[in-house]
Amino acid sequence: MDRRPSKRKGRQASQRSPYGRVSQAKSFKVKRKRKGILGALVVVALFAVVAVLAFPQVRAFITQTPVGGPRTVLTQQRVDVAFDRMELPAPDLSSFAYVDTASFIGPRFEGIEVGDVQKHISGSREIYSQKVTATALYTNKSVKVTVPISFEFTYDDANDTWEQGAVTEEGCTVEPVAPPSATAIADNIDTLLGAYDSQLASDFEGASSTVVSQLTAEGGTMEVNLLKSRQEETATMTVTCKVEWSDEAGWVPVVVATSTPKITDKSVMSKLTCDEGALVRLQGTLAKEGDGYLLRLDGPMRLTMDGRSWDLDVVSLVPASGTLCYFDPPIVEADEPEEAAKEAEEAEEEASEDAEVIDAEGEPAEEAEGEEEAEKEEESKRETVEISSLVGYRVSVTGTISLTGNESGVTSSPSGDSWGKIYPVQVTLTEVQKL
């Protein structure tokens, strides 16, 4: 009798083992391999993101380098090196008048821009380039010069490098940063006056000149005082010039007016004879020039000092720390025009006596001690003002006279340039009083 158990209907026989049913085993190496690949991909992706965000060169390479183009990106460092090694000639301003053309500082580069990669076809070759533009700045004490420049980097496929091309200057713009040289304009007054009035230019040819300037970096007006000494007389005249800037020619001065020439007989002109260091009193109109002051005398004065003589109409003033300035308007009581005209005529006559020596040695005289004490007491009762408030008024100045300049009357400033004028005589002030 067959005692083997019968097979159940609908169930397939399965392989049995001594220890029961066992499923097919999975490999642990496969799992580890898949996890490693995923981790590596994540790390690579992170490094790629960091590189794109942190390094502009990588972004530039991704965004600017076309497929099949340069294998190396043009870096900012390469551009900076090109500018550091760049040598440009100083701007040529020979066509600009009354402008300092020396001692330029620069170039200093601003607004540097690097264009995108451009593809050009030359025959069968593909040429890749990038254009660089910038502005070169030059400055000196007179002007600022702006020069737009450009050049190209061309990719060298054989050497896998970017080669710099020639620099192109695209014109220039010149802007003034300081007033023009008033002295240089005055030195050319014969030509300027000739364009205005040829007869006046002939009459004052070779005249000595002094300058009262109100010029700024925007131009303005200036006055040139001319004095022509003849055999028995002197002639004086004031020439007014308007000075404007031209982008093509620099400073352009034009004579716009002249005063009526004044002829003075040398026998009646004001005279002053003294030694250097004497205390003197002079009269004239107070004027401002730059940071200093001038006294425009009421009329020509023949000054004899230390064996030399000059015919002057302007004297340089040097305010001292203890200078006393008084604003004492004259009291006018004349109601009738005839009396006013008479006073004006008397003032004109006094112009020939508007210079005197108070103390030839520069020290107070003993016999005048009482008078000086009285004057000091009177001064203590008077109100002093700033010297600037007296500009434009006729004044009497007192101070110590001294020489400056050379035998011709005028010399350039100690620095040797032409940007200023030193007058032959100056007075270090002790008192200024409005007349």
Side-chain angles (χ1 to χ4, degrees):
M1 182 175 179
D2 188 3
R3 296 182 178 180
R4 289 178 299 180
S6 61
K7 297 180 179 179
R8 295 182 181 181
K9 186 177 181 179
R11 176 174 296 186
Q12 297 179 353
S14 60
Q15 182 179 0
R16 293 180 179 273
S17 69
Y19 299 96
R21 180 179 297 176
V22 179
S23 61
Q24 186 175 359
K26 296 181 179 180
S27 173
F28 286 101
K29 291 184 178 181
V30 173
K31 290 183 180 180
R32 290 193 185 99
K33 185 175 183 181
R34 289 177 179 175
K35 289 181 180 180
I37 292 174
L38 289 175
L41 290 176
V42 171
V43 172
V44 171
L46 288 176
F47 271 108
V49 171
V50 171
V52 170
L53 294 178
F55 299 98
Q57 293 86 349
V58 175
R59 294 201 303 273
F61 183 83
I62 293 174
T63 58
Q64 294 186 15
T65 305
V67 177
R71 300 184 299 278
T72 303
V73 69
L74 175 62
T75 65
Q76 185 63 48
Q77 182 180 8
R78 177 69 178 88
V79 175
D80 293 340
V81 169
F83 279 101
D84 291 340
R85 297 176 178 177
M86 188 175 298
E87 295 183 0
L88 297 177
D92 181 11
L93 302 185
S94 57
S95 61
F96 285 75
Y98 308 109
V99 167
D100 182 15
T101 60
S103 305
F104 275 108
I105 299 174
R108 178 168 57 89
F109 298 102
E110 292 185 352
I112 298 175
E113 294 186 3
V114 181
D116 294 335
V117 176
Q118 301 296 324
K119 178 180 177 180
H120 309 278
I121 304 298
S122 177
S124 59
R125 295 178 57 209
E126 294 181 347
I127 299 175
Y128 296 91
S129 64
Q130 284 185 261
K131 185 175 182 180
V132 181
T133 59
T135 299
L137 298 180
Y138 302 82
T139 58
N140 64 12
K141 63 182 178 181
S142 177
V143 293
K144 178 177 74 173
V145 182
T146 304
V147 183
I149 65 168
S150 64
F151 58 93
E152 284 190 348
F153 280 99
T154 303
Y155 180 68
D156 183 353
D157 185 70
N159 298 311
D160 190 22
T161 58
W162 288 90
E163 300 295 333
Q164 179 187 349
V167 178
T168 301
E169 297 184 10
E170 303 171 3
C172 71
T173 302
V174 184
E175 301 176 44
V177 297
S181 171
T183 303
I185 295 174
D187 291 342
N188 196 35
I189 196 63
D190 288 346
T191 301
L192 300 175
L193 186 57
Y196 178 81
D197 188 319
S198 58
Q199 184 59 50
L200 287 176
S202 177
D203 293 341
F204 283 87
E205 183 180 0
S208 61
S209 64
T210 54
V211 181
V212 179
S213 171
Q214 298 175 344
L215 299 177
T216 66
E218 286 75 39
T221 60
M222 58 176 285
E223 294 181 349
V224 183
N225 299 308
L226 300 179
L227 186 148
K228 179 69 176 288
S229 183
R230 300 164 184 167
Q231 291 183 352
E232 298 180 356
E233 62 185 16
T234 59
T236 58
M237 181 177 66
T238 298
V239 180
T240 302
C241 295
K242 184 177 181 180
V243 186
E244 295 181 335
W245 176 259
S246 166
D247 291 335
E248 293 76 28
W251 292 109
V252 180
V254 178
V255 175
V256 294
T258 64
S259 66
T260 301
K262 182 178 180 181
I263 309 300
T264 303
D265 190 335
K266 286 185 178 181
S267 63
V268 298
M269 69 185 298
S270 175
K271 297 178 177 64
L272 182 64
T273 302
C274 63
D275 294 327
E276 188 171 8
L279 187 65
V280 300
R281 179 180 289 119
L282 304 174
Q283 294 180 5
T285 302
L286 185 65
K288 188 82 165 65
E289 183 185 37
D291 296 330
Y293 294 90
L294 301 175
L295 181 68
R296 300 171 64 175
L297 301 174
D298 291 335
M301 179 182 71
R302 169 60 64 87
L303 171 66
T304 302
M305 184 163 54
D306 290 353
R308 290 185 291 172
S309 295
W310 298 270
D311 289 339
L312 305 174
D313 62 345
V314 175
V315 175
S316 177
L317 301 179
V318 181
S321 57
T323 301
L324 298 175
C325 304
Y326 303 109
F327 190 91
D328 295 332
I331 299 175
V332 180
E333 299 179 352
D335 295 330
E336 299 181 6
E338 292 183 359
E339 295 183 8
K342 183 177 180 181
E343 289 189 0
E345 184 178 349
E346 291 176 354
E348 184 74 17
E349 292 177 355
E350 292 176 358
S352 61
E353 302 175 356
D354 61 356
E356 62 174 319
V357 178
I358 300 176
D359 178 20
E361 302 296 331
E363 299 178 357
E366 295 181 1
E367 60 271 14
E369 289 182 0
E371 296 179 2
E372 289 187 0
E373 290 296 332
E375 289 179 0
K376 289 181 180 179
E377 184 177 352
E378 183 66 23
E379 289 173 357
S380 63
K381 300 177 183 179
R382 299 162 66 185
E383 183 178 356
T384 59
V385 297
E386 294 291 333
I387 188 173
S388 58
S389 65
L390 299 176
V391 172
Y393 290 101
R394 186 168 175 267
V395 296
S396 170
V397 303
T398 302
T400 305
I401 195 168
S402 59
L403 294 175
T404 181
N406 54 27
E407 294 182 358
S408 65
V410 177
T411 186
S412 59
S413 61
S415 62
D417 59 34
S418 61
W419 298 85
K421 197 160 192 174
I422 297 178
Y423 296 92
V425 176
Q426 69 181 19
V427 174
T428 303
L429 297 173
T430 57
E431 177 183 297
V432 181
Q433 178 184 356
K434 181 183 179 299
L435 295 176

